[in-house]
Amino acid sequence: MSEKDEKSTSSVDYRGLGKDVFEFFTHRTAFNSAAYLLPVLESITKSNPGLRLLDVGAGAGSVSATLAQVIGPEGHVVCTDLAPSVLPQAEAFAQSLGVTNISFQTADVHKLPFENDSFDVVHCHQLFGHVKAPSDAIREMLRVLKPGGVMAAREGDKETEIVWPPLPGMLKWHKFDSDVVIAHGGSLTAGRQLLSWALEGGAKRSQITVSYGNWLTTEEATKETYARGISKVLTGPTRQNALQFGLSEDEIDEICRDTLAWVDREDATWLMLQTEIIIRK
């Protein structure tokens, strides 16, 4: 890789995006992105209504805020992200829902600023596919989890991503998005590796429950969110970064045009396999 190529492939960073782009991610909630965990939380809160839940790499904070709603006012959620710039926006989102049993803190998943055995539940969503050494991250999350507590994670497998119809701009977006993940040390096969990472991170197989789900976008509202979110990313603060990464102006315009055209297609479908694990410590 040349010096020029090395510079370009490290230039795109989704952290600190503008509010309009940030809102793209707030469609993710505990109800559509952590449904596998909700029965477990319901069971835990019956005997421990004051549980403490840590949400790691929370980004937009929409899953964190809705998890706080699920566990109820006696419980508490600590919402963390590596990028301090996103936390005020996550806090504003929680306030918009009237959620008060939540706090916000900058934290690196590989070096969490909490004592051993601090939380009843530790959760992350779409994190390990974007970080280096995910098994080390899981080990650290288990460290701050109380004995008898639950760690939960959900990861997409980008190599299973299916888009129909295969409009050229949609395919270019998929390649660009995948290239960004790889450039930042992530993985396109996080879903299929999640169980292996958990075992490498110190969990025993008997402690782990595995389930599978998907992200399926066929309905009008979710199609609109997905497509307009892509358009905002490439017409907002990251457009210049996308150019530095290697996309041309014409390619960016084609991605935006085709994603918006895709919304109006009755046969438009977007699908990705999701792997979910629950570890009981």
Side-chain angles (χ1 to χ4, degrees), residues 86-163:
V86 305
L87 293 178
Q89 299 177 81
E91 185 171 4
F93 181 84
Q95 290 174 348
S96 73
L97 297 182
V99 173
T100 58
N101 59 326
I102 188 170
S103 58
F104 303 85
Q105 185 170 342
T106 302
D108 180 350
V109 66
H110 290 104
K111 194 174 181 180
L112 294 170
F114 307 108
E115 299 292 332
N116 295 349
D117 309 333
S118 295
F119 295 92
D120 302 287
V121 179
V122 179
H123 168 267
C124 68
H125 181 262
Q126 310 302 323
L127 173 64
F128 300 134
H130 297 277
V131 302
K132 297 177 181 178
S135 57
D136 290 342
I138 291 175
R139 183 176 292 106
E140 180 67 354
M141 292 170 70
L142 290 172
R143 178 187 67 79
V144 302
L145 182 66
K146 294 178 182 179
V150 169
M151 180 194 148
R154 189 175 198 240
E155 289 294 328
D157 197 292
K158 289 188 70 65
E159 285 195 355
T160 69
E161 188 173 19
I162 297 170
V163 178

Side-chain angles (χ1 to χ4, degrees), residues 60-74:
S62 51
V63 176
S64 307
T66 47
L67 283 171
Q69 290 179 320
V70 168
I71 66 174
E74 294 184 55

Side-chain angles (χ1 to χ4, degrees), residues 180-192:
V180 169
V181 170
I182 293 172
H184 286 90
S187 171
L188 304 183
T189 56
R192 71 192 70 177

